[in-house]
């Protein structure tokens, strides 16, 4: 019995309030991420399975989690949502979304891998200081006091963005979805390949760490019979040699793209801050005047009324009522202050954030253009210099628009200051308050200035009546910040501008590529959206080019699934893929139910096609290892496999149940060493797969040839443990951290184990002996 002592130690057990649908261990730490039916993503620590944080579902992200993946360094968790078709990258330290993007399909599987291939070019690139850090000033942190902006770029989190880029070493997030959807994202942020030509929904995928091959397992829905749709799996090995042969170029390009994506996000957040700084405060002026017009009985216009007050110092009774009762002296002071602080906040944001972000964007795009002109290295990856040129031009137009906004703010501030100062004095006189002598001095120049302001801004604008539901356009800054496609209500006046006249009359300069196009009628948001569209367009090309270069090398159908799916919800779909880095070997693991006994099948592929054995299959069944008395007939106990995962290169972790399961029979967690399965003599026994034939037509009656697959009976020694009082169904493992987590069939009961703890066990045994 001492020999049968399992080498796993239970360290935690929990009953959870919601059904768990996904589990994934962090590659670097004792943390497990769970997704449940309610759409929450949770992080638990191994010890006592205590919760670290939870991220509840919301409208912006979504409610149906369909896949989880950790970045190889364990600092970021990615999850896919099917209802909103979004991918969210979340910080492991706190439940906050760092980055998110939309995809065209609901994601069914995710795999995040790190490139381990070494080359001298790459090593020197990894070790080189990123030039942009040396040449560009650090992006100023966004002000924290704006409520809705994501706090990614705020003071204490300005390094988050570098956290997103993570290590310089290239890592790639591979997404698989329904109807043949497969995309690869460098650093989890930027799409570098859209793979085409794979049929069916993705059930598992694996990109080799040298980027040479992508293996996919798909489920194809057959609709020959309307009642029972029979599906079968197909394993296809896709050749991604373009990625691997241009690895240094792909890495460098991906870094640039990620910088660009980050900067676009920074500019977007800066604009959000500007809109919040503008807020509704500046609308008050316009709405009060409009209300005044609607209520007033006299025929004179508002402009005339104010002009009379300016010139004769006398206001009509109605204007007096508006100013003294509605606006009040106190209100005027407050309005003046809020407009001024609002304007200066926007000005600061434009100068320090928008401009520095746009300049950094220009820098990276120009570098990218330089790369695109190096045709022998980058042309085959789809970098297109003319597209990047258009993107640079679009950024230039955006910078021009931001400068125009600065000028509008400048003149508005001057105008409002003079106007408020005059009105304040006029209102003090109306209320017969004492006016300080220094406020009383108003030169002819000042009067002209206010008169011009009244003439220009206080004239009623009939074209606004139906468009904005107001009569005035006193405030000019807000129109730039409105996220609408309408043209500006009052675009800047370019009449008499020498530069414009010069451009108009010069035929050669009109089409010059050196001049950024200028859109006088458009808002800042409009020009920003246009810029994002152009940049997106030019960065989309490599993904298409690289995706089209992916060729299908092998395509095999594995088996058909049974028509009557087990009633337990499908949590993890078998099969799984495992890349053995050491031997160019590629394992696929899947189980098939045969006469209510589930055998595990291991398909061993040599990714190195020069080898004679390309595909070998071996079936495994579990012999009677629980029986203590030999007298019991040995065939009375056989086990079917409920779930299996690769624990590491040498071991598979399985959850087993007895096939003739009676009440009180327990489920078993076991470690299956591959060495006991693949011995040298098995090389001859291995069933060599001919991918031109389809062997397994139906599940109940296997084709005769499938009988040729050698079945190996495994007797586990001491690497197993009975799971008492638990209807175990699924397991998640991490061989690096030596942990596993077992989930029951009701999806709410969890047990956590440390797997390799022999040393402690020996110590305990010795102590026990001493006691005896």
């Amino acid at each position: 019995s001492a020999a049968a002592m399992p080498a796993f130690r239970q360290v935690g057990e929990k009953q959870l309030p919601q059904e768990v649908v996904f589990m994934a261990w962090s590659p670097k730490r004792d943390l497990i991420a769970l997704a449940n039916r309610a759409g929450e993503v949770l992080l638990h620590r191994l010890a006592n399975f205590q919760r670290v944080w939870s991220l509840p579902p919301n409208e912006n992200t979504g409610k149906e989690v369909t896949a989880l993946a950790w970045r190889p360094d364990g600092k970021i968790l990615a999850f896919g949502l099917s209802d909103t078709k979004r991918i969210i990258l979340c910080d492991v330290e706190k439940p906050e979304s760092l980055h998110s993007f939309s995809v065209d399909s609901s994601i069914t599987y995710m795999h995040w891998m790190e490139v381990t291939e070494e080359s001298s070019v790459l090593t020197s690139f990894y070790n080189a200081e990123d030039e942009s850090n040396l040449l560009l000033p650090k992006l100023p942190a966004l002000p924290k006091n704006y409520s809705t902006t994501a706090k990614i770029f705020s003071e204490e989190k300005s390094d988050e963005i570098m956290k997103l880029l993570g290590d310089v070493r290239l890592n790639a997030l591979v997404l698989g979805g329904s109807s043949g959807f497969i995309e690869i994202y460098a650093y989890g942020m930027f799409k570098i390949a859209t793979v085409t030509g794979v049929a069916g929904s993705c059930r598992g995928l694996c990109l080799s760490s040298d980027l040479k091959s992508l293996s996919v397992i798909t489920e194809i829905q057959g609709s020959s019979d309307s009642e029972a749709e029979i599906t079968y799996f197909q394993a296809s090995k896709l050749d991604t040699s373009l990625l691997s042969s241009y690895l240094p170029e792909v890495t460098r390009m991906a870094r640039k793209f990620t910088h660009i994506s980050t900067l676009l996000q920074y500019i977007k957040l800066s604009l959000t801050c500007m809109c919040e700084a503008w807020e509704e405060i500046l609308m008050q002026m316009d709405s009060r005047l409009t209300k005044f017009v609607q209520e007033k009985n006299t025929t004179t216009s508002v402009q005339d009324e104010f002009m009379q007050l300016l010139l004769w110092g006398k206001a009509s009774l109605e204007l007096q009522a508006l100013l003294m009762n509605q606006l009040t002296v106190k209100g005027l002071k407050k309005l003046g202050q809020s407009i001024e602080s609002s304007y200066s906040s926007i000005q600061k944001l434009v100068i320090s954030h928008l401009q520095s972000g746009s300049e950094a964007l220009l820098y990276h795009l120009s570098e990218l253009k330089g790369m695109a002109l190096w045709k022998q290295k980058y042309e085959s990856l789809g970098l297109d210099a003319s597209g990047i040129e258009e993107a640079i031009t679009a950024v230039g137009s955006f910078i021009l628009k931001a400068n125009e906004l600065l000028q509008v703010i400048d003149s508005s501030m001057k105008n409002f200051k003079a106007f408020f100062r005059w009105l304040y004095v006029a209102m003090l006189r109306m209320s017969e308050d004492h006016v300080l002598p220094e406020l009383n001095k108003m030169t002819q120049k000042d009067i002209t200035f206010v008169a011009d302001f009244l003439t220009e801004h206080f004239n009623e604008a009939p074209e606004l009546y139906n468009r904005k539901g107001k009569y005035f356009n006193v405030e000019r800054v807000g129109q730039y910040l409105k996220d609408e496609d309408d043209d500006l209500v009052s675009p800047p006046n370019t009449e008499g501008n020498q530069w414009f006249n010069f451009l108009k009359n010069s035929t050669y300069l009109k089409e010059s590529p050196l001049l950024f196009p200028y859109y006088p009628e458009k808002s800042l948001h409009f020009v920003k959206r246009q810029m994002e569209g152009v940049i997106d367009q030019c960065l989309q090309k490599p993904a298409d080019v690289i995706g089209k270069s992916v060729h299908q090398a092998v395509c095999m159908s594995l088996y058909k699934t049974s028509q009557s799916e087990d009633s337990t919800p499908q949590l993890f779909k078998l099969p799984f893929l495992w890349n053995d880095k050491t031997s160019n070997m590629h394992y696929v693991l899947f189980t098939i139910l045969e006469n209510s006994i589930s055998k595990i099948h291991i398909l061993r592929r040599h990714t190195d096609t020069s080898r004679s054995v390309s595909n070998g299959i071996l079936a495994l069944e579990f012999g009677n290892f629980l029986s203590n008395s030999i007298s019991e007939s040995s065939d009375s106990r056989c086990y079917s496999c409920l779930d299996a995962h690769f624990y590491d290169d040498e071991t598979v972790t399985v959850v087993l149940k007895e096939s003739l399961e009676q009440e009180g029979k327990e489920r078993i967690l076991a470690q299956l060493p591959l060495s006991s399965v693949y011995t040298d003599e098995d090389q001859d026994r291995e069933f060599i797969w001919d991918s031109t034939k389809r062997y397994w037509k139906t599940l109940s009656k296997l084709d005769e040839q499938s009988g040729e697959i050698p079945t190996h009976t495994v007797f586990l020694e001491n690497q197993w443990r009975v799971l008492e009082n638990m209807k175990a169904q699924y397991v998640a493992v991490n061989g690096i951290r030596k942990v596993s987590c077992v989930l029951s069939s009701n999806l709410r009961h969890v047990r956590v184990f440390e797997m390799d703890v022999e040393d402690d066990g020996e110590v305990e045994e010795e102590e026990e002996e001493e006691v005896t």
Side-chain angles (χ1 to χ4, degrees):
S1 66
M5 269 299 292
F8 330 139
R9 180 170 64 200
Q10 182 175 324
V11 287
E13 181 164 25
K14 268 258 166 58
Q15 291 285 350
L16 299 167
Q18 294 284 350
E19 295 182 351
V20 170
V21 286
F22 287 100
M23 318 189 276
W25 283 102
S26 159
K28 298 284 185 198
R29 292 157 72 178
D30 296 332
L31 294 171
I32 185 168
L34 308 176
N36 63 27
R37 278 269 151 79
E40 276 182 295
V41 175
L42 312 148
L43 202 60
H44 282 262
R45 188 165 278 120
L46 174 67
N48 308 331
F49 207 68
Q50 83 201 59
R51 183 152 72 173
V52 181
W53 55 247
S54 76
L55 183 66
N58 65 35
E59 317 65 70
N60 305 333
T61 53
K63 293 186 173 61
E64 286 171 48
V65 180
T66 52
L68 284 179
W70 285 90
R71 193 167 76 182
D73 64 2
K75 287 181 181 167
I76 288 180
L77 174 69
F79 54 96
L81 297 140
S82 65
D83 47 342
T84 51
K85 294 187 180 164
R86 288 192 78 70
I87 305 295
I88 312 293
L89 304 190
C90 181
D91 186 357
V92 67
E93 300 298 334
K94 36 193 165 311
E96 279 178 12
S97 159
L98 292 178
H99 183 73
S100 69
F101 55 90
S102 294
V103 283
D104 298 336
S105 163
S106 60
I107 297 302
T108 52
Y109 198 88
M110 281 176 159
H111 167 65
W112 204 333
M113 49 71 70
E114 187 170 60
V115 178
T116 54
E117 191 68 3
E118 289 298 339
S119 75
S120 52
V121 184
L122 262 181
T123 315
S124 62
F125 173 61
Y126 289 154
N127 297 337
E129 177 73 46
D130 189 349
E131 275 182 4
S132 58
N133 291 343
L134 304 171
L135 298 173
L136 292 170
K138 202 170 176 218
L139 286 183
L142 289 175
K144 272 187 297 193
N145 46 349
Y146 296 115
S147 53
T148 58
T149 40
K151 301 192 172 56
I152 295 179
F153 294 97
S154 65
E155 296 293 345
E156 72 274 15
K157 292 191 75 177
S158 44
D159 296 338
E160 293 299 326
I161 228 45
M162 291 333 287
K163 207 186 251 185
L164 265 179
L165 286 168
D167 191 11
V168 197
R169 185 183 288 282
L170 181 63
N171 56 59
L173 175 62
V174 193
L175 308 178
S178 45
S179 55
F181 174 89
I182 295 174
E183 290 187 336
I184 303 175
Y185 285 77
Y187 298 107
M189 282 177 75
F190 199 85
K191 184 161 55 175
I192 50 170
T194 305
V195 178
T196 51
V198 177
S201 299
C202 175
R203 284 279 160 262
L205 45 77
C206 180
L207 182 58
S208 65
S209 51
D210 56 5
L211 292 183
K212 280 186 181 150
S213 74
L214 170 70
S215 307
V216 186
I217 287 171
T218 59
E219 180 177 333
I220 297 177
Q221 208 75 27
S223 52
S224 51
D225 188 277
S226 56
E227 285 153 359
E229 285 207 317
I230 298 176
T231 60
Y232 69 90
F233 286 78
Q234 167 203 39
S236 48
K237 173 180 168 293
L238 297 150
D239 177 27
T240 52
S241 53
L242 181 68
L243 276 177
S244 54
S245 43
Y246 284 93
L247 191 57
E249 287 77 16
V250 170
T251 305
R252 194 162 283 164
M253 186 170 83
R255 289 294 287 181
K256 278 282 162 246
F257 284 177
T258 316
H259 275 301
I260 290 167
S261 299
T262 314
L263 286 166
L264 285 174
Q265 194 178 350
Y266 178 78
I267 287 173
K268 185 171 157 196
L269 290 176
S270 306
L271 255 173
T272 313
C273 288
M274 284 161 61
C275 295
E276 286 180 34
W278 176 68
E279 274 177 339
E280 298 303 300
I281 281 175
L282 306 175
M283 306 279 282
Q284 293 175 14
M285 190 83 190
D286 295 0
S287 55
R288 280 183 176 145
L289 290 174
T290 300
K291 195 171 175 213
F292 174 54
V293 175
Q294 286 161 344
E295 290 172 359
K296 119 184 140 64
N297 311 322
T298 55
T299 48
T300 48
S301 70
V302 178
Q303 193 181 351
D304 292 348
E305 302 241 356
F306 272 106
M307 277 297 198
Q308 275 181 337
L309 177 61
L310 176 66
L311 298 177
W312 317 119
K314 269 206 162 45
S316 68
L317 292 172
E318 281 171 320
L319 181 61
Q320 209 163 335
L322 164 82
L323 295 173
M324 302 312 291
N325 306 341
Q326 278 195 24
L327 190 59
T328 72
V329 177
K330 206 172 173 185
L332 177 74
K333 221 173 176 177
K334 204 170 159 196
L335 186 65
Q337 283 165 350
S338 62
I339 283 183
E340 194 174 338
S341 78
S342 204
Y343 276 175
S344 57
S345 302
I346 296 175
Q347 215 167 11
K348 274 186 207 136
L349 282 164
V350 175
I351 294 168
S352 59
H353 297 76
L354 267 199
Q355 288 188 334
S356 56
S358 313
E359 280 157 14
L361 200 54
L362 272 183
Y363 169 85
H364 287 297
L365 282 168
S366 308
E367 287 250 287
L368 200 58
K369 186 186 162 193
M371 285 156 64
L373 293 171
W374 192 352
K375 289 206 160 60
Q376 79 206 57
K377 283 201 176 289
Y378 291 96
E379 194 172 35
S380 42
L381 294 176
L383 262 196
D384 166 36
S386 62
I388 299 168
E389 186 65 67
E390 282 169 29
I392 290 174
T393 307
V395 177
S397 296
F398 178 72
I399 293 176
L400 282 182
K401 197 41 107 179
N403 275 330
E404 180 192 308
L405 176 60
L406 282 181
Q407 290 169 1
V408 172
I409 292 176
D410 232 24
S411 65
S412 289
M413 268 171 114
K414 271 191 220 136
N415 289 339
F416 273 122
K417 259 189 184 154
F419 173 67
F420 281 136
R421 185 181 163 147
W422 160 73
L423 196 56
Y424 181 59
V425 173
M427 283 169 74
L428 283 178
R429 285 200 188 116
M430 279 179 211
S431 59
E432 293 174 0
D433 271 357
H434 170 63
V435 180
L436 295 169
E438 65 266 22
L439 285 176
N440 231 337
K441 291 180 191 134
M442 203 169 177
T443 62
Q444 190 56 45
K445 198 176 169 190
D446 294 340
I447 293 176
T448 319
F449 194 71
V450 174
D452 285 348
F453 176 69
L454 288 172
T455 319
E456 194 186 340
H457 291 72
F458 278 62
N459 51 348
E460 290 178 31
E463 73 274 7
L464 290 181
Y465 290 0
N466 30 12
R467 196 171 123 183
K468 295 272 187 278
K470 61 180 194 179
Y471 292 78
F472 291 93
N473 191 33
V474 177
E475 198 281 308
R476 297 283 161 98
V477 173
Q479 55 180 355
Y480 284 87
L481 303 177
K482 281 224 167 65
D483 199 357
E484 294 165 2
D485 283 341
D486 294 342
D487 288 353
L488 294 181
V489 178
S490 38
N493 182 11
T494 54
E495 271 175 47
N497 183 309
Q498 294 174 331
W499 174 248
F500 274 91
N501 295 342
F502 171 61
L503 280 188
K504 213 178 262 174
N505 304 327
S506 118
T507 41
Y508 303 107
L509 276 178
K510 255 186 209 151
E511 303 302 315
S512 167
L514 298 174
L515 292 176
F516 295 135
Y518 171 60
Y519 306 97
E521 306 291 321
K522 299 293 181 194
S523 75
L524 188 65
H525 262 288
F526 180 88
V527 182
K528 179 196 88 130
R529 268 205 309 278
Q530 193 177 346
M531 167 179 84
E532 287 173 336
V534 175
I535 291 178
D536 242 23
Q537 201 63 41
C538 94
L539 301 191
Q540 179 65 45
K541 250 190 172 155
D544 297 339
V545 171
I546 294 171
K548 286 195 178 79
S549 76
V550 174
H551 302 299
Q552 189 161 292
V554 179
C555 173
M556 315 185 278
S557 55
L558 291 180
Y559 66 89
K560 299 205 172 193
T561 58
S562 59
Q563 296 177 18
S564 59
E565 279 274 306
D566 193 354
S567 58
T568 51
Q570 280 282 301
L571 178 76
F572 296 104
K573 296 271 187 181
L574 291 178
F576 293 100
L577 307 167
W578 179 263
N579 261 345
D580 183 351
K581 300 180 184 77
T582 50
S583 63
N584 248 350
M585 203 60 107
H586 185 86
Y587 293 101
V588 177
L589 183 65
F590 54 95
T591 63
I592 303 179
L593 201 65
E594 229 176 290
N595 311 327
S596 82
I597 294 174
S598 166
K599 287 184 181 176
I600 292 187
H601 291 74
I602 298 180
L603 160 68
R604 183 155 72 154
R605 280 193 46 73
H606 287 277
T607 45
D608 178 3
T609 42
S610 61
R611 293 289 292 269
S612 54
V613 180
S614 63
N615 308 309
I617 288 187
L618 200 59
L620 305 180
E621 61 185 9
F622 293 90
N624 178 7
F625 56 88
L626 272 190
S627 169
N628 294 335
S629 61
I630 299 157
S631 62
E632 278 186 49
S633 70
S634 56
D635 51 78
S636 67
R637 288 171 179 239
C638 259
Y639 303 94
S640 59
C641 173
L642 299 173
D643 196 8
H645 274 274
F646 283 105
Y647 180 73
D648 55 27
D649 292 15
E650 283 94 41
T651 322
V652 177
T653 304
V654 287
V655 175
L656 305 173
K657 72 168 184 175
E658 290 192 46
S659 309
L660 308 163
E661 193 172 357
Q662 298 128 20
E663 277 307 302
K665 297 287 184 197
E666 309 288 2
R667 311 248 166 137
I668 293 155
L669 175 67
Q671 295 283 61
L672 167 68
L674 282 177
S675 55
S676 67
V677 178
Y678 277 107
T679 48
D680 290 338
E681 63 266 20
D682 275 330
Q683 197 67 48
D684 315 323
R685 294 179 54 203
E686 227 170 15
F687 173 68
I688 306 305
W689 189 275
D690 179 355
S691 52
T692 55
K693 295 180 191 162
R694 285 192 178 152
Y695 291 102
W696 297 337
K697 298 289 189 295
T698 61
L699 202 74
S700 50
K701 196 174 76 207
L702 289 181
D703 203 284
E704 287 146 42
Q705 282 162 304
S706 76
E708 295 169 19
I709 297 176
T711 300
H712 190 108
T713 306
V714 186
F715 294 93
L716 296 169
E717 288 171 15
N718 60 348
Q719 289 285 304
W720 52 269
R721 175 177 183 134
V722 175
L723 300 165
E724 293 102 356
N725 311 322
M726 182 183 194
K727 208 171 169 190
Q729 184 82 26
Y730 302 109
V731 65
V733 291
N734 180 349
I736 301 168
R737 303 296 311 180
K738 302 187 172 164
V739 284
S740 72
C741 178
V742 181
L743 179 64
S744 65
S745 57
N746 71 1
L747 304 182
R748 289 193 176 170
H749 181 185
V750 169
R751 254 183 219 170
V752 191
F753 296 96
E754 283 181 353
M755 301 302 275
D756 296 341
V757 284
E758 293 102 334
D759 307 345
D760 306 6
E762 280 168 22
V763 173
E764 280 165 23
E765 274 172 33
E766 279 167 22
E767 282 172 9
E768 274 174 27
E769 277 170 22
E770 280 170 21
V771 172
T772 357

